[in-house]
Amino acid sequence: MRRRDNVSPHSNEALVLATSSLQGERRVAIVRLVVVLMMSVSQVFIAWGGGKTYSPPLDGLRLQIIGAYVFFSIVAIIVLLFQRPEPQRARWLPVPTALADTCFFSFMAWHTWRLSGEFDAGMLCASLGMVLAFSVVRYSWWHVLLSTVLSSAAYALLAWMTGHGSVARVSFVLICYAALGALIALTNSDVGGMFLNLRRRDGLSRFLPKQVVERVMQLGDASLQPVQRDVTILFSDIRDFTALSEALDPGEVLAFLDDYFGHMAHIVMAHHGIVNKFLGDGMLACWGVPDAREDHAELALRAALDMRAKLEDINAQRILRGLSPLRIGIGLHTGMVAAGMLGGAEQHEYTVIGDAVNLASRVEGLTKSHGVDILVSERTWMMGGGHFMGERLGEAQVKGRRESVVLYSLLGPRTAETPEPVLRAATGT
């Protein structure tokens, strides 16, 4: 299985980060507009109500710049609401907004000083610190670096131009900005990494057992690369499901399957197998991938027996509720398959492909004609049947295959009290 050229292993992670970045920019856009309005209130109405004269001059240029910044804030909100997350756009989207924010607050401080001779270093320090704080919602460390450099450069330049602030005072502010930027960058990196790991772990846990998920998380994508390997495949199917589902509404059908597959999938993963997919009322599971195991056939056989036992528990509950018992068929076969991730960036899954998969499905279909619930191919029986009791049922022809298949019925685990004739039949001797 060859990965498509336009799909990279990290494409989904990049899309998740781009989505987070877009959501962050939307929050920044809203906060920006609210801050401008609140600053206007604090500098005009609150100051006036407190009996103080409004020191910043309200000349035409200042009003134009404020109006342009408000207009920019409104347009940014509208544009971002209709944006779709794209990794390439997420890299440059914060750049113009960071430049606009820094330039606006720096111009306000410089323009006030130029006309009135007053320079409020505290207000400038606070406003540029807020611009730096906006980078909290930006996942890339260089976005944080950009905001840190812009805020530091703007403060140092204005302090030098206005002649306010000693070298010691300016350097103190720059050190604080650098520390804040470093803390934001490290925190964003840790939070982003934890978020991606949680998303990845959740996705892997849907089709891999916990032990394998932990190994994949440690080894990375290489452990899910395409391989050709000898595995054991299990197909299961609910008998007469069509007639059963006709008596239920769609919601009840889905609720029933969700409960049933929940139990069966738990059994598969408890025996170190993976649930590859659900096929209507059927389930495909396999052992031996992505983690190679020598005992994959034995594990699959034990899982099949536990599925039988769980069905008995389910049927006991159904009978108490006045419902008809369920019947299932299980087929197992061992053979070579190609295993790996299949699909594109939008949707993909770990799957197995090969003749062994098809044959396992055919073996399951033969459970009806043989009147048993679990059928095992000879290859699977030879690899793991020494630990189980069973009966050799003979050869059978399957559709699409010239050679006949030797089948065994699975009765139960082998014990010390197992009679010798049954053991001889089970091992095919």
Side-chain angles (χ1 to χ4, degrees):
M1 280 181 290
R2 188 177 178 182
R3 183 177 293 276
R4 299 177 184 176
D5 295 336
N6 63 339
V7 177
S8 67
H10 302 288
S11 57
N12 280 342
E13 292 185 359
L15 184 60
V16 170
L17 291 177
T19 302
S20 176
S21 177
L22 180 58
Q23 293 174 345
E25 289 302 318
R26 289 169 178 167
R27 297 189 187 101
V28 167
I30 295 173
V31 170
R32 179 187 297 114
L33 182 60
V34 173
V35 165
V36 174
L37 297 176
M38 292 180 65
M39 283 182 174
S40 300
V41 171
S42 67
Q43 294 302 299
V44 179
F45 297 103
I46 295 179
W48 177 79
K52 298 180 180 179
T53 59
Y54 179 64
S55 58
L58 290 174
D59 64 305
L61 180 59
R62 184 182 184 89
L63 292 175
Q64 290 176 12
I65 295 299
I66 294 176
Y69 189 66
V70 171
F71 178 75
F72 166 77
S73 302
I74 296 174
V75 171
I77 294 175
I78 296 174
V79 171
L80 290 170
L81 287 177
F82 291 96
Q83 288 283 345
R84 298 184 63 184
E86 293 182 7
Q88 291 296 334
R89 184 180 296 137
R91 293 185 176 92
W92 62 261
L93 191 61
V95 175
T97 56
L99 287 170
D101 293 336
T102 304
C103 290
F104 172 74
F105 291 110
S106 299
F107 174 83
M108 290 293 103
W110 172 81
H111 189 64
T112 300
W113 167 79
R114 186 176 66 88
L115 296 182
S116 66
E118 297 181 8
F119 179 72
D120 195 326
M123 291 182 65
L124 176 63
C125 182
S127 59
L128 292 177
M130 180 185 62
V131 173
L132 176 55
F134 283 165
S135 60
V136 168
V137 300
R138 293 160 182 163
Y139 72 91
S140 177
W141 66 268
W142 79 267
H143 292 153
V144 182
L145 177 62
L146 175 64
S147 297
T148 304
V149 170
L150 289 175
S151 298
S152 301
Y155 184 84
L157 180 61
L158 283 171
W160 171 75
M161 291 177 61
T162 61
H164 293 77
S166 63
V167 175
R169 179 178 297 177
V170 172
S171 62
F172 178 81
V173 174
L174 299 188
I175 291 173
C176 291
Y177 281 172
L180 178 60
L183 182 61
I184 291 174
L186 292 173
T187 302
N188 286 2
S189 177
D190 290 342
V191 172
M194 288 187 294
F195 177 68
L196 289 176
N197 285 336
L198 286 173
R199 287 284 296 260
R200 191 161 184 259
R201 189 187 301 274
D202 180 66
L204 292 172
S205 299
R206 297 178 185 275
F207 62 90
L208 295 177
K210 180 179 179 181
Q211 297 87 340
V212 180
V213 170
E214 295 301 326
R215 181 165 297 186
V216 171
M217 293 296 295
Q218 294 176 2
L219 300 179
D221 295 326
S223 58
L224 294 179
Q225 291 300 308
V227 295
Q228 188 171 7
R229 188 173 295 162
D230 196 42
V231 303
T232 298
I233 305 295
L234 180 149
F235 259 100
S236 71
D237 183 73
I238 301 177
R239 303 273 179 83
D240 302 320
F241 180 75
T242 302
L244 176 66
S245 61
E246 288 177 350
L248 304 173
D249 61 46
E252 292 174 330
V253 172
L254 291 177
F256 161 72
L257 288 177
D258 183 64
D259 179 69
Y260 168 79
F261 282 133
H263 292 299
M264 298 307 173
H266 178 74
I267 291 173
V268 170
M269 290 188 285
H271 288 278
H272 308 284
I274 67 172
V275 177
N276 187 256
K277 63 185 65 177
F278 300 116
L279 307 166
D281 61 315
M283 182 179 72
L284 167 61
C286 51
W287 283 259
V289 288
D291 207 16
R293 297 185 64 105
E294 296 294 331
D295 58 346
H296 54 83
E298 179 185 348
L299 291 171
L301 290 167
R302 295 192 184 280
L305 289 176
D306 285 351
M307 291 171 66
R308 172 194 282 166
K310 173 54 66 174
L311 183 66
E312 293 177 357
D313 294 339
I314 294 175
N315 283 335
Q317 296 296 322
R318 288 179 61 85
I319 292 173
L320 290 176
R321 299 197 303 268
L323 301 174
S324 59
L326 300 176
R327 295 184 302 126
I328 64 173
I330 300 175
L332 297 101
H333 176 63
T334 301
M336 296 296 297
V337 299
M341 298 300 293
L342 183 66
E346 297 296 329
Q347 182 176 357
H348 58 268
E349 66 176 358
Y350 189 84
T351 190
V352 289
I353 300 175
D355 180 65
V357 180
N358 299 329
L359 185 53
S361 176
R362 304 299 184 193
V363 170
E364 186 279 321
L366 292 172
T367 57
K368 297 178 182 179
S369 58
H370 284 76
V372 297
D373 60 343
I374 304 177
L375 273 182
V376 183
S377 71
E378 186 174 38
R379 177 79 195 287
T380 303
W381 188 262
M382 291 299 107
M383 291 189 64
H387 300 280
F388 303 91
M389 297 184 298
E391 181 180 358
R392 189 179 189 276
L393 301 181
E395 299 180 355
Q397 293 292 329
V398 296
K399 183 180 179 180
R401 189 180 180 90
R402 293 182 180 180
E403 299 179 0
S404 59
V405 180
V406 178
L407 299 175
Y408 290 79
S409 65
L410 181 61
L411 301 179
R414 179 178 177 177
T415 63
E417 294 78 16
T418 302
E420 186 68 18
V422 175
L423 287 175
R424 188 176 293 114
T427 56
T429 58

